[in-house]
Amino acid sequence: MTEADVVILGGGPGGYAAAIRCAQLGRSVVLIDEAAVGGTCLHRGCIPTKALLHAAEVADSARTAAQFGITASFDGVDVTKLHGFKNTVVSRLHKGLTGLIAALGITVISGRGRLTGPTTVEVDGTTISGGVIILATGSAPKVPGMIQTSDRVLTSDQALELDRIPSSAIILGGGVIGVEFASLWTSLGAKVTIVEALPRLVPNEDTAISAYLERLFRRRKITAKTGALVTGVTSDDDAVHVTLESGDVLSADVLLVAVGRGPRTADLGLTEAGVQLDRGFVVTDDKLRTSVPTVYAIGDIVAGLQLAHRAFQQGLFVAEQIAGRDPEAVAELGIPRVTYCDPEIASVGLTEGAAREQYGDGVETVTYDLAGNGRSQILKASGAVKLVVDPAGTVVGVHMIGAGVSELIGEAQLLYNLGVKAAEAARFVHAHPTQNEALGEALMAVSGAPLHLHG
């Protein structure tokens, strides 16, 4: 039997973050994963998709170079080299991660682990015992029961390895994954249609952001069918065909199923070991401890935002608890949310609707259009920054859309998480010319002292 202070099931962002911090705090650690350390984020999610999205941005730059006085042209995509670029980025990060894990003395076991008791995990017939078990097995793409994946019907995992750029694509789902792939494939030359059952794209974002995205997607000739239900999917040698409840039939080269991700908790022995589940998610208390006191759960298997940086934070939080510290977790609303489509979306805190439900009619909002921002004009970027302020003048929501706004979310999350009043933040200087000035302008405007904002 192998023994350690901490045994972690799953080597994705949550699992490896917990492993690293536990080791740094003097605990012996065993990290178990049936795939490569780094998980979905590094190998089939965040990193490879953003690498491809950057390549797509380069393609768009080549197409539009003439408007900047630069002679260039977009002549097509070398898919082999495209995947080579993506895989090189992943490989370098994986090599660095495995080196760090080895340097810290963390034992990595390759195989599918299964919980066999409150302090034991079994891998390929071998029992590993730990004083504490951390569950961090992540999530997998959801596929509705009526749909079968194939060469034409893809999940995001398959889409990342597609050996061609589709001539046309239907994307089922207008959430984060759906709009990112819509943006990517459009930039690389595909004709894209998004089918979303809810009334708007990115339905978890503020309604104003959804409206901006839909308008800017129309400019990019991305078709969005919202409030549309799929009743059937068939495919043949030439295309995939999607039937809508309205009776319309859409046809395309491929269909991407992007209706969300489900927790990977099946066949792990959790229920048998006494770990409570709810709709497949592990039930935890506010310390991320499960119904079994020696077992914690982190990341996508805990209901809430399915984000790598949430998993990182939870991994660190649990590791520090195990070490006897008293860490403070960041509330779910304080975790920044970013969608890397073109234009990017970044937000933190309450939407306007949620703020009005909580605080009533005293809520104030202001929207600063990037048309008034010098750097955005240089970049030819459209979008906006929207602030939501409670009756006491405290920033309770920041919602942004536009090129590069993911880089502005750091300041935005500080405003929200520190409970900063807009009038106090407005006095700080934002460098010129930067897109960050747009956030500064919005702060001034909502404080009653706008500068470059028309009344």
Side-chain angles (χ1 to χ4, degrees):
M1 177 187 292
T2 301
E3 295 184 359
D5 296 327
V6 182
V7 177
I8 302 171
L9 200 54
Y16 82 67
I20 289 171
R21 185 52 53 87
C22 282
Q24 290 171 337
L25 295 173
R27 270 53 181 178
S28 59
V29 181
V30 170
L31 181 62
I32 303 165
D33 202 309
E34 60 185 332
V37 172
T40 294
C41 174
L42 178 54
H43 299 283
R44 300 176 303 283
C46 314
I47 299 301
T49 55
K50 278 54 180 181
L52 294 178
L53 281 161
H54 176 67
E57 183 181 339
V58 172
D60 285 332
S61 295
R63 280 195 194 89
T64 60
Q67 65 183 316
F68 300 101
I70 304 298
T71 302
S73 61
F74 174 71
D75 299 323
V77 180
D78 184 325
V79 177
T80 300
K81 288 184 178 179
L82 179 66
H83 284 306
F85 160 66
K86 173 200 71 178
N87 294 339
T88 296
V89 172
V90 170
S91 178
R92 286 175 177 167
L93 290 171
H94 180 245
K95 183 178 180 180
L97 176 59
T98 54
L100 175 59
I101 286 172
L104 288 168
I106 297 166
T107 299
V108 177
I109 296 178
S110 180
R112 182 174 177 79
R114 191 172 188 276
L115 192 65
T116 53
T119 59
T120 55
V121 171
E122 185 179 284
V123 183
D124 298 329
T126 299
T127 297
I128 298 97
S129 175
V132 173
I133 308 291
I134 301 176
L135 305 174
T137 48
S139 61
K142 289 182 183 176
V143 179
M146 67 170 152
I147 298 176
Q148 297 294 318
T149 59
S150 66
D151 290 342
R152 291 194 183 277
V153 181
L154 317 171
T155 67
S156 57
D157 288 354
Q158 295 165 289
L160 282 171
E161 300 300 329
L162 198 62
D163 61 1
R164 68 189 191 284
I165 304 302
S167 58
S168 57
I170 299 165
I171 297 177
L172 181 54
V176 173
I177 295 171
V179 298
E180 287 188 352
F181 270 96
S183 191
L184 166 65
W185 279 339
T186 296
S187 295
L188 297 180
K191 181 179 180 181
V192 176
T193 299
I194 303 171
V195 178
E196 168 57 52
L198 293 175
R200 56 192 177 93
L201 297 183
V202 287
N204 292 327
E205 297 292 341
D206 190 271
T207 55
I209 298 300
S210 293
Y212 264 97
L213 180 66
E214 289 169 8
R215 183 164 67 250
L216 294 171
F217 264 18
R218 282 195 294 273
R219 289 185 195 172
R220 298 189 64 197
K221 313 233 182 287
I222 297 172
T223 299
K225 293 185 177 293
T226 54
L229 296 176
V230 172
T231 57
V233 174
T234 60
S235 57
D236 52 38
D237 291 341
D238 299 318
V240 61
H241 311 284
V242 176
T243 303
L244 304 183
E245 189 177 52
S246 63
D248 293 342
V249 178
L250 310 176
S251 298
D253 186 12
V254 298
L255 168 67
L256 172 65
V257 181
V259 293
R261 298 179 65 86
R264 301 179 78 166
T265 53
D267 302 321
L268 295 177
L270 303 187
T271 302
E272 295 88 335
V275 174
Q276 184 182 350
L277 301 178
D278 180 14
R279 296 169 294 117
F281 291 99
V282 179
V283 177
T284 68
D285 62 16
D286 60 355
K287 300 294 186 183
L288 295 172
R289 186 180 278 112
T290 73
S291 51
V292 178
T294 52
V295 179
Y296 292 82
I298 59 177
D300 286 2
I301 60 172
V302 178
L305 296 169
Q306 292 182 319
L307 299 170
H309 44 281
R310 173 183 182 252
F312 283 134
Q313 190 265 346
Q314 291 184 339
L316 300 178
F317 176 73
V318 167
E320 294 190 1
Q321 284 186 82
I322 292 168
R325 299 187 175 187
D326 188 22
E328 184 176 348
V330 174
E332 196 86 353
L333 279 170
I335 297 172
R337 309 175 292 271
V338 181
T339 303
Y340 294 88
C341 52
D342 179 13
E344 289 182 349
I345 297 168
S347 61
V348 67
L350 297 169
T351 63
E352 179 181 350
R356 293 196 184 282
E357 285 183 12
Q358 183 168 334
Y359 297 106
D361 293 336
V363 167
E364 292 187 48
T365 70
V366 69
T367 300
Y368 181 81
D369 198 293
L370 293 184
N373 177 261
R375 186 64 183 275
S376 297
Q377 284 295 303
I378 293 167
L379 297 173
K380 293 192 176 292
S382 298
V385 172
K386 178 177 179 178
L387 288 185
V388 182
V389 176
D390 73 8
T394 303
V395 176
V396 295
V398 183
H399 307 276
M400 302 178 284
I401 183 168
V405 295
S406 60
E407 301 299 336
L408 308 186
I409 198 63
E411 179 182 349
Q413 72 152 330
L414 291 177
L415 294 174
Y416 175 80
N417 284 310
L418 296 177
V420 177
K421 292 188 182 300
E424 293 175 355
R427 68 186 179 87
F428 292 108
V429 177
H430 293 78
H432 176 77
T434 64
Q435 286 190 288
N436 191 229
E437 284 181 285
L439 183 52
E441 292 276 0
L443 287 165
M444 286 190 287
V446 82
S447 303
L451 184 60
H452 295 100
L453 186 67
H454 295 284

